[in-house]
Amino acid sequence: MKLYSLSILHKGATKANLLKAAYDLSSFSFFQRSSVQEFMTFTSALIVERTSQGSRASVKEQEYLCHVYVRNDSLGAVVIADNEYPQRVCFTLLDKVLDEFSRQVDSIDWPSGSPETINYKALDIHLSKYQNPREADAMTKVQAELDETKIILHNTMESLLERGEKLDDLVAKSEHLGNQSKAFYKTARKQNSCCEIM
Amino acid sequence: MAECEEEVLVQRVVKDITNALKRNPSIDEIGVIPCPEARYNRSPIVLVENKLGVESWCVKFLLPYVHNKLLLYRQRKHWLDREALVDITCTVLLLNPDFTTAWNVRKELVQSGVLNPEKDLYLGQLALTKFPKSPETWIHRRWVLQQVLGQSSAGDRRRRQQQRDEADAERSQQLSEHLARTLHQEMKVCSDAACRYPSNYNAWSHRIWVLQHMARGNIKVFYDELSSMRLWVSMHVSDHSGFHYRQFLLKELVSELSQSTASSTSSPQHRSSSVSSSSPVPFHNHANGELSGGEGGEDEEERQLSFITVLQLFHQEMELISDLIQSFPGHETLWSHRRHVFFLWHQWRTDQQLSNDGGDSTLLSDREAGLHKGGAQGCAAQVGEGVNGQCPSEAMEVEGASLPDPRDSKRLKRGVHLPAPPSLPSEYTFISSVLDSCCPSEQRRFALSYRKWLDTVIVQQP
């Protein structure tokens, strides 16, 4: 049961703009962490871009689940968790974080802000507190507030893409990803297709 | 030209790895850095914050080359001195720890005294950070541990021969401390690997092996494991292997405690080769029953204590599972754990009944009082046990049971509150409470199949 990343983004006309993010990558091997982090940012942005205002969704990708909530005012948040972590608690966390963020940060800054300019520091605390869903006191009380049937489920990242779009192309074009991460992505793809020593 | 260049490159990399490990004994992780192209004049070996990284481009030269070299050595076509062997096997195994031949070469080096077994434990530990499942690494680890254990029991024998040696006691103290440290270290390696790879069966079964070989009969160690696993399983509710380990602990503890009920005079002698509890502060007083056992009059009390501890173990385990099932619905692992624990309880109860038949009526009626509790909660199912002549007031007494403090043995008289053990009616009540709540379809399915299992396996069986 693990939360890997929690990020807040603003959904613009075509792109999502990252405002703040927190990561817990301690369970990944040391030399992969920077790439994994870039991929989580890339994925979070992509998911917010493909989610319409006022909706919630959960996207499954391998052993990860990305939960997203984009509010009607275009402010969105994504949490990436493993598939043991209770979905309901994730959405509680998203609600809470967005609520707090919009109270502390003026909406004028949302479209153009960046992690360096935005002054909101609570994300790391929330991420570490929610690692144990029971200590986050969210297990029972919010149950009724959330209509789980309204959450859209995607079984892969691919189902977010439009016709003719390919994940490989998006990765290659992405500005969130450095060269090392792109190489990392390629080897990971190769590993899935055939057995190699590496 | 290419071959010669490759040779130089490979030799340099092997040397770099060896030197890095030598210079920095606190390296705690290895990894491959994705990097398709070589950057000139830079070693592909990188050391950051005690993590050793190998750039991926060099692996495809390195691995076949060292592989071949080692195979040629094994076929006696190519001579390597011992130092070169240590270095080469180290490089191969860090990149491919399932290469049995390399581990075998190291076994020979350990046996001939060139290589310290501790070094091999460390190498395996590093390899497991990148390949947490690697079966060959775990297998080799057990071999090395057996060597270490063999050495220490040889030390034991020597010690007995030279009884008058004054430094003797001190040395045996050191020895058991060393074993305790090794045990602790193994547990750490296992949990590390279990966190890196979910349902890492190899790591968990190694952990079982370690307890069986290094802590046999040591109730303190088993208790500590059980309580430290509590948080782990709560955070890994779909890790089957982790729960299986917990089942193992429970089973061992119950059988160990039941043994001490049967004969509380188990000699501490036969446990000398395993780790003795270093700090004599047992979890419960009776946890090391052998200390006070065998003094006739205390026998009875001892048995009651063990009995109550077993009840308590089952009670707490069932509470934990119920809580986890309700908090994290839809995980089959939790349900099969429940099934296993209930089966264990059922078996234990049957065994107790057989051994107690006609014998001690005190324990029997105590237990039945416990069963009454479930009966009182009401469910049509019949408990496969004749409950007779129990006055309802006693059942009521258990109803509001608070767990007794086992440390206070004076209070342990007949009729004292007992922890509520699992029972068929309480299981059925739990299932219906799950079915009544609005739960995901999977949870429903698991609950129904658990009920079916109870109906067919437990109830049908007399």
Side-chain angles (χ1 to χ4, degrees):
Chain A
M1 202 165 302
K2 187 102 189 133
L3 295 178
Y4 302 105
S5 84
L6 173 60
S7 30
I8 298 179
L9 303 99
H10 179 258
K11 183 177 160 71
T14 55
K15 280 192 177 272
N17 179 32
L18 182 69
L19 296 173
K20 208 78 187 176
Y23 304 91
D24 183 343
L25 304 173
S26 53
S27 57
F28 289 93
S29 94
F30 180 81
F31 293 101
Q32 286 177 1
R33 283 179 204 161
S34 60
S35 293
V36 170
Q37 180 172 330
E38 285 178 12
F39 265 99
M40 297 211 161
T41 315
F42 165 79
T43 309
S44 302
L46 183 69
I47 291 176
V48 169
E49 280 162 25
R50 306 299 158 104
T51 305
S52 50
Q53 269 98 343
S55 66
R56 299 170 189 274
S58 292
V59 185
K60 200 169 179 313
E61 179 62 29
Q62 295 160 46
E63 65 265 42
Y64 308 107
L65 269 170
C66 317
H67 306 281
V68 61
Y69 175 36
V70 181
R71 304 200 308 191
N72 285 324
D73 58 4
S74 291
L75 195 65
V78 180
V79 61
I80 301 184
D82 65 7
N83 47 27
E84 274 182 356
Y85 199 96
Q87 185 192 37
R88 204 185 58 235
V89 183
C90 287
F91 282 106
T92 312
L93 172 63
L94 293 180
D95 279 356
K96 189 170 170 177
V97 159
L98 284 176
D99 198 39
E100 200 178 272
F101 183 88
S102 57
R103 270 188 278 117
Q104 288 184 20
V105 181
D106 199 326
S107 60
I108 301 167
D109 296 329
W110 297 354
S112 59
S114 72
E116 291 77 35
T117 60
I118 298 289
N119 187 23
Y120 173 70
K121 299 208 161 52
L123 270 192
D124 284 299
I125 300 163
H126 285 309
L127 188 68
S128 73
K129 190 176 146 212
Y130 272 76
Q131 287 300 346
N132 185 348
R134 267 121 74 88
E135 273 172 30
D137 70 63
M139 287 301 288
T140 46
K141 63 176 185 189
V142 209
Q143 198 161 7
E145 295 169 22
L146 189 72
D147 186 357
E148 286 176 38
T149 54
K150 283 194 180 151
I151 299 168
I152 305 161
L153 283 173
H154 298 280
N155 274 327
T156 69
M157 285 274 288
E158 307 275 347
S159 70
L160 288 176
L161 305 180
E162 283 156 32
R163 256 181 110 132
E165 240 182 350
K166 278 195 184 130
L167 201 56
D168 292 19
D169 299 340
L170 291 177
V171 168
K173 275 190 288 186
S174 169
E175 56 204 29
H176 291 294
L177 301 170
N179 284 334
Q180 193 184 325
S181 302
K182 286 175 184 169
F184 176 77
Y185 177 78
K186 273 186 203 150
T187 39
R189 291 285 281 201
K190 243 201 297 192
Q191 261 176 356
N192 281 346
S193 56
C194 71
C195 302
E196 274 186 85
I197 309 169
M198 271 299 307
Chain B
M1 70 120 218
E3 232 162 71
C4 181
E5 253 177 48
E6 227 172 74
E7 164 110 30
V8 172
L9 171 76
V10 169
Q11 302 236 324
R12 198 179 119 196
V13 175
V14 172
K15 194 160 235 142
D16 281 352
I17 292 181
T18 319
N19 284 340
L21 286 172
K22 249 183 218 146
R23 262 186 238 132
N24 196 337
S26 47
I27 289 177
D28 58 6
E29 190 180 321
I30 54 153
V32 170
I33 306 167
C35 174
E37 298 286 318
R39 274 167 286 178
Y40 283 105
N41 288 327
R42 260 198 53 188
S43 165
I45 304 302
V46 184
L47 189 64
V48 202
E49 291 180 34
N50 292 337
K51 323 280 175 195
L52 185 73
V54 181
E55 288 183 352
S56 61
W57 62 267
C58 80
V59 175
K60 63 173 182 258
F61 301 107
L62 193 60
L63 209 47
Y65 185 88
V66 280
H67 249 183
N68 276 339
K69 210 159 181 179
L70 208 59
L71 285 177
L72 286 175
Y73 165 79
R74 278 307 248 195
Q75 295 158 359
R76 296 167 194 278
K77 287 179 186 156
H78 181 83
W79 171 247
L80 287 168
D81 60 39
R82 286 169 161 183
E83 205 173 314
L85 272 178
V86 172
D87 294 352
I88 281 190
T89 48
C90 172
T91 305
V92 174
L93 290 167
L94 286 178
L95 296 169
N96 177 17
D98 281 323
F99 186 31
T100 320
T101 309
W103 285 121
N104 287 342
V105 169
R106 285 181 82 92
K107 283 193 183 74
E108 289 172 9
L109 290 169
V110 168
Q111 275 173 334
S112 62
V114 179
L115 200 62
N116 182 350
E118 312 272 323
K119 282 247 164 71
D120 250 20
L121 289 180
Y122 176 60
L123 177 68
Q125 184 187 341
L126 282 184
L128 288 170
T129 62
K130 168 111 179 77
F131 306 92
K133 282 202 303 181
S134 167
E136 292 301 328
T137 311
W138 291 112
I139 292 167
H140 181 71
R141 227 179 156 72
R142 290 194 273 278
W143 183 87
V144 175
L145 285 171
Q146 261 165 346
Q147 300 293 307
V148 174
L149 285 177
Q151 271 174 17
S152 66
S153 67
D156 257 11
R157 244 173 279 129
R158 220 176 306 130
R159 198 182 63 219
R160 254 171 256 141
Q161 279 162 8
Q162 359 174 297
Q163 283 282 326
R164 276 165 295 172
D165 193 340
E166 287 194 351
D168 185 55
E170 200 178 320
R171 205 184 311 137
S172 82
Q173 178 72 18
Q174 278 173 355
L175 209 67
S176 74
E177 266 172 29
H178 176 235
L179 273 180
R181 245 197 339 267
T182 314
L183 179 71
H184 180 76
Q185 177 66 13
E186 280 310 295
M187 296 296 149
K188 201 177 151 285
V189 171
C190 290
S191 42
D192 211 40
C195 288
R196 281 175 199 274
Y197 198 99
S199 284
N200 191 341
Y201 175 74
N202 295 341
W204 290 109
S205 63
H206 179 78
R207 199 163 171 151
I208 290 178
W209 184 93
V210 170
L211 281 194
Q212 283 173 335
H213 287 80
M214 297 174 72
R216 178 154 290 276
N218 190 333
I219 296 192
K220 161 101 169 49
V221 171
F222 278 81
Y223 260 122
D224 287 350
E225 282 292 290
L226 194 71
S227 64
S228 74
M229 278 302 291
R230 207 183 157 84
L231 179 64
W232 200 94
V233 292
S234 310
M235 294 295 285
H236 298 80
V237 288
S238 60
D239 196 304
H240 229 299
S241 304
F243 275 96
H244 173 246
Y245 179 68
R246 209 175 156 79
Q247 290 155 14
F248 160 79
L249 291 174
L250 208 62
K251 197 172 172 186
E252 290 292 302
L253 271 172
V254 166
S255 83
E256 200 65 36
L257 287 166
S258 312
Q259 261 174 30
S260 66
T261 352
S263 64
S264 48
T265 45
S266 56
S267 78
Q269 217 59 49
H270 78 279
R271 284 163 196 173
S272 58
S273 68
S274 56
V275 181
S276 54
S277 45
S278 43
S279 60
V281 194
F283 190 64
H284 293 137
N285 256 352
H286 52 271
N288 47 2
E290 65 266 18
L291 290 186
S292 55
E295 284 170 39
E298 286 174 19
D299 257 18
E300 183 54 31
E301 225 161 72
E302 203 65 44
R303 289 175 61 171
Q304 284 211 1
L305 272 170
S306 296
F307 182 79
I308 290 175
T309 315
V310 172
L311 289 192
Q312 213 165 12
L313 276 176
F314 277 115
H315 172 76
Q316 286 170 350
E317 193 63 19
M318 274 313 199
E319 269 199 332
L320 173 71
I321 315 171
S322 301
D323 178 33
L324 289 178
I325 286 180
Q326 272 152 351
S327 304
F328 306 106
H331 292 286
E332 191 165 22
T333 308
L334 296 173
W335 287 95
S336 57
H337 183 59
R338 191 178 189 101
R339 206 181 272 204
H340 192 99
V341 173
F342 190 79
F343 190 70
L344 211 59
W345 155 255
H346 180 73
Q347 255 184 339
W348 181 79
R349 210 184 48 172
T350 317
D351 288 352
Q352 289 289 307
Q353 207 164 16
L354 285 178
S355 67
N356 271 342
D357 246 356
D360 195 329
S361 58
T362 320
L363 295 181
L364 249 172
S365 56
D366 274 353
R367 189 171 65 240
E368 284 184 1
L371 282 169
H372 254 296
K373 185 213 172 207
Q377 287 181 348
C379 189
Q382 280 294 317
V383 190
E385 194 162 318
V387 194
N388 42 32
Q390 292 279 327
C391 57
S393 69
E394 221 180 273
M396 289 311 288
E397 202 175 7
V398 182
E399 185 89 34
S402 62
L403 299 186
D405 184 359
R407 260 161 291 207
D408 190 356
S409 57
K410 291 273 174 343
R411 265 175 37 205
L412 281 170
K413 295 273 151 56
R414 195 184 170 307
V416 158
H417 301 321
L418 284 175
S423 70
L424 264 181
S426 67
E427 288 309 284
Y428 282 116
T429 316
F430 176 76
I431 294 171
S432 15
S433 81
V434 168
L435 290 175
D436 287 346
S437 67
C438 61
C439 56
S441 60
E442 264 146 35
Q443 180 89 328
R444 260 194 108 68
R445 193 160 56 82
F446 297 145
L448 288 172
S449 71
Y450 181 55
R451 189 162 71 186
K452 198 169 168 192
W453 177 81
L454 284 176
D455 288 344
T456 50
V457 179
I458 304 293
V459 177
Q460 301 282 309
Q461 212 181 56

